[in-house]
Amino acid sequence: MREYLIHDEWNIIEEGFQPENHKSSESIFSLGNGKMGQRANFEETYTGPTLQGSYVAGIYYPDKTRVGWWKNGYPEYFAKVLNSPNWIGIDVQIDGHFLDLYTCKTENFRRVLNMQEGFLLREFTAIMDDGKKVAVTAKRFVSMADTEIGAIRYSVTPLNFEGKISFTPYLDGDVENEDSNYDEKFWNLIDMEAHSGEAYIVTETKKLGFRAGFGMMTKTFIQGVEVKIQPEIMKKEAWVGNRFEKEVKEGEEFSIEKIVGVTSSLNYSKNDILVATKKSTKAGFDKGFDQLFSSHSNEWKQKWVHSDIKIEGDIAAQQGIRFNIFHLHQTYTGEDERLNVGPKGFTGEKYGGSTYWDTEAYCIPFFISTAPSNVTRNLLIYRYKQLDKAIENAEKLGFKDGAALYPMVTMNGEECHNEWEITFEEIHRNGAIAFAIHNYIRHTNDFKYLEEYGLEVLIGISRFWSQRVNWSGEKKKYVMLGVTGPNEYENNINNNWYTNKMATWCMKYTTEAIAKVKQNNADAFNQICNKTNFKAEVELAKWKEITDQMYFPFNEEINVFMQQDGYMDKEHILVKDLDPKQRPINQYWSWDRILRSCYIKQADTLQGIYVLEEEFDLETIKRNFEFYEPRTVHESSLSPCVHSILAAKIGLTDKAYEMYLRTSRLDIDDYNHEAHEGLHITSMAGTWMSVVEGFGGKRVYDGKLYLNPIIPKQWKKYAFRLTFMNNDLEVIVSKDKIEVVSHSDNPIELYVYGKLIKAEPHQIVETEAH
Ligand code: BGC
């Protein structure tokens, strides 16, 4: 762990500049607006260790994956999220010397991520080699309201001298990725222009030809009053800038505002990019920094109204949850159904592909309950649109007749991850995608979705499962061989309980969904049958035969489900007895040693118990939790949240709290020593789940909402908002009572501790806490 950030309810604060923390801070203080994102790199020159990261949504590069040991079915490429041209750069010179925090001394350094209004602020005093001191303030935001705009206000005040200060705002297209295999660069320059007070650059990615345009317009100020300075207009290879120099008096503040427009060929035709960028930049510039900021912060206000979680009495916990919610909103806004939620969002290069099962298993529960229903619908439609590719993907592996295997990692529906044990075997992702459809419908009653899109996806997925199992003559059951469960510290195992369970669930749910669609709209059903060539009688009978006779590994002696065949053959030393110096084991042990060990990377059997909880009684949940959690190392960010929810369910409130802190502060406190690579965006939705589903006990069964709130002893009170069946409500939990506040125009019904509560429009209903 690395606890260098100050606890605060609405801000992330770093005081004192430590270069060894800088790369982590660059991730933690990142900004984004769903369309683009920017790590907290410094505007001015920085010669110390840094990961430069500026990302434009939907732009990626298909990197080569061909290797000597190529096997049939391997994906053609590994997608990389690209570091795009640098738009934040402003070089600063003090009497001819570059300001560089790696080489000069700093005093009173303070970096603040203001999550309430969505901006990054940096303040410090720099002491140059010749003793000259300057006070610096830099504020920037990536607009949530004007989504093609980023804005920076940067000020320098000489504290003990009078001299020449220069700002060189620039756009740099000559950038690289840290994870480039052969020091390759991924962008070609298409166009660039520099004029007085403005500059533009258009670049295009190699291979796929995505274009991105960046424009900047600037204003300079002395003591807040605009001053016109004739800049030196500068052009280098794929680099354009302006240099503004001014003689500045001691104590006088010299500032620059840089308004940037960013566009891409996702939203404009390629040949229009330069024009669109100019238009966007000019529109932002005309509004100006303050007006842009005010619309931007209003957008944030609205987001917080619908998704904030308030925790009283525990600042670390409060800061943690807001940090998670803040970054989720920065990553995905739900406006564009071509986009998705990458595990690192716009905060790093790792997990180059954008879409994992994380979206359905973790992010959808968050968006279903905190955003208008079209946001989740768009995420589901994303997969619907990729159904053909999922069928092709399954065909490549030898499946047929419309069986669909969604990719483990994808940018456009094609598999773009190249570890066979994941690509071919981590097929449980299909289960999460089907379950998300069910989850959406049970929260919205949008059965139309099934007719229009969902059923086709479900049929493709169920067909896959029915072909992926085989009959075991020995077990006299259907089995599923050679898979990887959610626990990636086991590969090529037989009968992963979670995967078998989800496969069975999918075939049963698809059968129910078919009946529903048939009953509601026979015409739509017939059309789907024709389109998918669905042979109802034969296929349904086959699914039933499989689901009735599926094999689930179980250990009678200890009465728990077995993660997979043979799991008990391992040496069972609990995680608490491991040498803490060897953890995380993935950084200290060989892969071979990990695979042979009993250690579980993330919830696996427990993931299944979490997802299908209504099938299990409390004693079963308890027994399985008590067996598996002590063997779990939680080395995936997706792990602690699920454990927190189950611990809360079985009354282990302290354990639930410990896991909550771990998930919510995973990146802020850098539990897994990897914040420098980027943040764990998708698990942030899991953090939300651990408050609302864990402590709040929120469940939805048969279109009904249930709450069973508990409160950790560290908290005085907590409150969360929920959208359910298009109604808005707020739940406030304190030690002695639960208040349900309706923010809806319709009456709402829900069950609190099993008792029916009716909340009239805009009324508060109180009930005693248990
Ligand atoms: C986890 C996967 C997850 C991926 C991206 C891996 O470490 O094991 O379950 O999909 O990260 O978040």
Side-chain angles (χ1 to χ4, degrees):
M1 272 169 82
R2 187 207 293 252
E3 293 177 279
Y4 67 98
L5 299 167
I6 292 168
H7 292 185
D8 182 273
E9 293 186 352
W10 274 111
N11 299 289
I12 306 292
I13 304 169
E14 177 182 6
E15 285 184 346
F17 181 59
Q18 306 292 341
E20 64 276 17
N21 292 334
H22 181 53
K23 277 175 105 174
S24 299
S25 290
E26 287 181 322
S27 305
I28 292 168
F29 291 77
S30 292
L31 293 176
N33 67 0
K35 249 190 192 158
M36 59 173 153
Q38 175 62 51
R39 282 171 60 83
N41 307 130
F42 292 159
E43 285 85 359
E44 72 279 358
T45 309
Y46 184 70
T47 53
T50 167
L51 171 61
Q52 293 291 302
S54 160
Y55 308 101
V56 180
I59 293 190
Y60 65 97
Y61 180 78
D63 210 0
K64 17 183 183 300
T65 57
R66 283 217 165 257
V67 285
W69 50 94
W70 187 262
K71 294 187 172 61
N72 282 341
Y74 270 18
E76 293 297 320
Y77 62 90
F78 181 81
K80 287 204 158 115
V81 165
L82 289 191
N83 178 28
S84 312
N86 172 352
W87 59 266
I88 59 163
I90 304 178
D91 281 341
V92 178
Q93 279 175 284
I94 317 286
D95 273 336
H97 298 283
F98 280 101
L99 174 65
D100 173 0
L101 263 59
Y102 195 56
T103 54
C104 71
K105 286 202 199 89
T106 53
E107 280 173 0
N108 307 323
F109 177 92
R110 195 173 150 86
R111 170 158 36 188
V112 179
L113 181 68
N114 180 312
M115 301 183 286
Q116 195 163 22
E117 296 186 288
F119 68 89
L120 171 64
L121 182 71
R122 210 156 41 101
E123 294 166 325
F124 56 91
T125 299
I127 305 151
M128 307 295 286
D129 279 352
D130 55 8
K132 289 182 180 139
K133 276 191 175 187
V134 287
V136 177
T137 307
K139 176 174 174 178
R140 77 170 177 245
F141 60 93
V142 175
S143 178
M144 276 285 179
D146 300 88
T147 53
E148 290 175 348
I149 300 292
I152 304 169
R153 179 182 277 158
Y154 197 105
S155 311
V156 174
T157 310
L159 296 179
N160 58 356
F161 69 102
E162 172 176 335
K164 280 200 173 68
I165 303 212
S166 76
F167 291 129
T168 307
Y170 62 87
L171 302 169
D172 182 8
D174 187 21
V175 290
E176 45 194 39
N177 260 50
E178 193 177 72
D179 72 351
S180 149
N181 286 341
Y182 308 97
D183 293 331
E184 253 177 309
K185 297 210 171 157
F186 299 124
W187 295 91
N188 287 324
L189 177 70
I190 299 295
D191 224 331
M192 63 181 198
E193 286 180 15
H195 314 282
S196 174
E198 58 188 305
Y200 305 91
I201 192 161
V202 176
T203 51
E204 182 174 273
T205 66
K206 293 184 182 164
K207 289 194 186 167
L208 296 183
F210 290 109
R211 273 195 194 176
F214 296 79
M216 66 169 204
M217 292 181 81
T218 53
K219 269 186 192 168
T220 44
F221 304 82
I222 288 284
Q223 294 289 85
V225 178
E226 190 178 350
V227 283
K228 298 268 179 222
I229 302 171
Q230 193 50 46
E232 178 190 345
I233 296 166
M234 302 169 79
K235 272 190 178 181
K236 295 188 235 167
E237 212 188 317
W239 186 105
V240 276
N242 275 191
R243 183 166 186 274
F244 298 90
E245 189 176 67
K246 178 98 182 95
E247 188 71 34
V248 185
K249 297 204 185 82
E250 187 174 323
E252 215 173 47
E253 185 191 61
F254 181 37
S255 340
I256 182 160
E257 284 177 10
K258 178 178 181 186
I259 308 295
V260 175
V262 179
T263 65
S264 84
S265 53
L266 248 70
N267 301 311
Y268 298 96
S269 76
K270 280 188 183 186
N271 293 334
D272 293 342
I273 292 285
L274 182 61
V275 174
T277 306
K278 285 184 174 175
K279 208 168 146 199
S280 213
T281 311
K282 174 85 168 61
F285 184 74
D286 287 347
K287 286 189 184 167
F289 188 93
D290 290 326
Q291 196 190 323
L292 285 169
F293 182 70
S294 135
S295 336
H296 164 74
S297 63
N298 274 338
E299 283 292 317
W300 270 109
K301 216 175 270 164
Q302 283 313 309
K303 290 200 185 289
W304 285 117
V305 165
H306 294 287
S307 59
D308 190 21
I309 292 184
K310 299 186 185 79
I311 298 174
E312 277 180 30
D314 186 345
I315 295 181
Q318 174 69 83
Q319 183 182 40
I321 187 66
R322 288 205 171 120
F323 178 73
N324 286 249
I325 295 170
F326 177 73
H327 277 291
L328 280 166
H329 285 310
Q330 295 206 112
T331 308
Y332 185 74
T333 57
E335 276 142 33
D336 187 339
E337 69 192 34
R338 295 165 303 173
L339 302 179
N340 210 283
V341 193
K344 295 258 178 266
F346 299 117
T347 68
E349 295 174 4
K350 208 179 159 197
Y351 296 121
S354 139
T355 310
Y356 284 64
W357 73 302
D358 305 30
T359 296
E360 283 77 15
Y362 293 83
C363 301
I364 280 188
F366 168 75
F367 289 114
I368 285 182
S369 292
T370 57
S373 58
N374 69 305
V375 173
T376 305
R377 214 171 196 266
N378 275 347
L379 284 171
L380 297 179
I381 288 177
Y382 174 97
R383 293 291 195 177
Y384 171 77
K385 292 208 163 153
Q386 298 181 349
L387 178 59
D388 289 347
K389 291 248 166 76
I391 293 174
E392 249 173 57
N393 186 38
E395 275 168 3
K396 273 190 208 153
L397 307 189
F399 298 90
K400 52 187 194 248
D401 301 330
L405 174 61
Y406 278 91
M408 184 64 187
V409 184
T410 191
M411 294 299 305
N412 66 352
E414 287 161 9
E415 177 62 77
C416 59
H417 186 85
N418 56 359
E419 286 172 273
W420 66 269
E421 62 277 30
I422 291 183
T423 307
F424 299 157
E425 297 205 328
E426 213 177 324
I427 51 180
H428 66 80
R429 66 227 187 206
N430 253 11
I433 291 166
F435 194 84
I437 296 174
H438 165 58
N439 207 8
Y440 168 71
I441 291 172
R442 69 179 174 177
H443 278 79
T444 57
N445 272 349
D446 180 5
F447 288 104
K448 270 258 163 262
Y449 184 80
L450 270 186
E451 287 168 21
E452 287 173 20
Y453 307 102
L455 192 57
E456 281 179 51
V457 171
L458 291 172
I459 289 174
I461 286 178
S462 288
R463 282 173 161 167
F464 170 79
W465 291 126
S466 71
Q467 295 173 33
R468 185 61 168 75
V469 298
N470 66 275
W471 177 253
S472 157
E474 189 189 292
K475 290 193 164 66
K476 304 274 180 281
K477 291 271 182 193
Y478 280 96
V479 293
M480 198 163 352
L481 309 179
V483 305
T484 296
N487 167 25
E488 292 176 343
Y489 288 177
E490 298 277 359
N491 296 152
N492 206 32
I493 52 173
N494 293 336
N495 294 309
N496 171 248
W497 184 86
Y498 172 75
T499 309
N500 286 13
K501 199 75 200 160
M502 289 309 287
T504 313
W505 179 88
C506 286
M507 288 183 270
K508 284 187 182 159
Y509 179 65
T510 308
T511 306
E512 281 169 30
I514 285 170
K516 184 88 190 168
V517 173
K518 218 167 154 183
Q519 180 198 339
N520 286 358
N521 187 344
D523 284 350
F525 179 66
N526 288 335
Q527 272 174 26
I528 295 171
C529 288
N530 286 338
K531 187 170 173 197
T532 58
N533 202 13
F534 185 63
K535 311 226 168 31
E537 221 169 291
V538 186
E539 298 197 50
L540 288 173
K542 178 79 189 165
W543 298 351
K544 175 141 179 28
E545 185 191 320
I546 296 169
T547 54
D548 283 350
Q549 300 183 77
M550 189 75 173
Y551 166 72
F552 298 105
F554 183 75
N555 186 300
E556 309 246 337
E557 214 173 295
I558 49 173
N559 208 5
V560 300
F561 305 123
M562 277 293 101
Q563 185 175 270
Q564 75 244 12
D565 285 348
Y567 181 68
M568 289 312 279
D569 292 339
K570 290 173 180 265
E571 185 183 22
H572 284 262
I573 298 170
L574 300 185
V575 174
K576 69 173 171 46
D577 300 322
L578 282 176
D579 177 358
K581 285 200 219 77
Q582 304 213 343
R583 296 187 55 201
I585 57 172
N586 68 17
Q587 289 176 16
Y588 295 95
W589 287 12
S590 72
W591 191 234
D592 169 68
R593 187 172 173 197
I594 290 177
L595 288 179
R596 283 184 284 108
S597 80
C598 72
Y599 302 115
I600 302 171
K601 181 182 181 190
Q602 69 201 84
D604 189 306
T605 304
L606 294 181
Q607 184 83 20
I609 292 183
Y610 159 70
V611 177
L612 303 175
E613 189 196 280
E614 56 205 294
E615 292 186 16
F616 310 103
D617 60 39
L618 204 59
E619 281 310 308
T620 305
I621 301 176
K622 234 183 199 161
R623 260 194 324 274
N624 281 277
F625 184 90
E626 281 163 3
F627 178 76
Y628 283 109
E629 200 284 326
R631 290 164 171 79
T632 305
V633 284
H634 303 292
E635 290 179 14
S636 159
S637 62
L638 301 176
S639 189
C641 53
V642 172
H643 289 84
S644 178
I645 297 167
L646 290 179
K649 167 85 190 170
I650 59 178
L652 300 179
T653 315
D654 287 345
K655 185 79 192 168
Y657 179 75
E658 173 202 324
M659 289 285 130
Y660 164 76
L661 273 195
R662 186 167 176 149
T663 178
S664 68
R665 299 189 60 84
L666 180 80
D667 291 317
I668 308 178
D669 293 338
D670 203 4
Y671 275 81
N672 287 350
H673 308 186
E674 55 191 16
H676 58 280
E677 295 173 343
L679 305 177
H680 297 87
I681 299 293
T682 45
S683 82
M684 293 183 172
T687 301
W688 178 93
M689 281 154 51
S690 65
V691 177
V692 176
E693 299 179 11
F695 299 124
K698 176 210 157 211
R699 302 288 187 277
V700 173
Y701 298 132
D702 294 331
K704 297 196 182 82
L705 174 64
Y706 296 84
L707 298 173
N708 277 300
I710 55 169
I711 184 162
K713 60 176 181 288
Q714 293 83 348
W715 299 359
K716 282 201 196 112
K717 205 180 193 182
Y718 66 101
F720 55 86
R721 291 284 286 241
L722 283 181
T723 299
F724 178 67
M725 300 287 171
N726 284 326
N727 292 319
D728 242 6
L729 62 142
E730 188 178 354
V731 181
I732 307 169
V733 182
S734 41
K735 305 262 184 213
D736 56 343
K737 63 176 181 198
I738 316 298
E739 290 161 272
V740 175
V741 185
S742 158
H743 292 283
S744 166
D745 296 332
N746 306 307
I748 304 174
E749 289 193 356
L750 68 155
Y751 293 81
V752 180
Y753 304 121
K755 196 176 106 201
L756 178 64
I757 301 265
K758 294 186 182 179
E760 293 304 323
H762 306 282
Q763 298 281 303
I764 304 178
V765 186
E766 260 186 46
T767 178
E768 231 174 83
H770 283 192

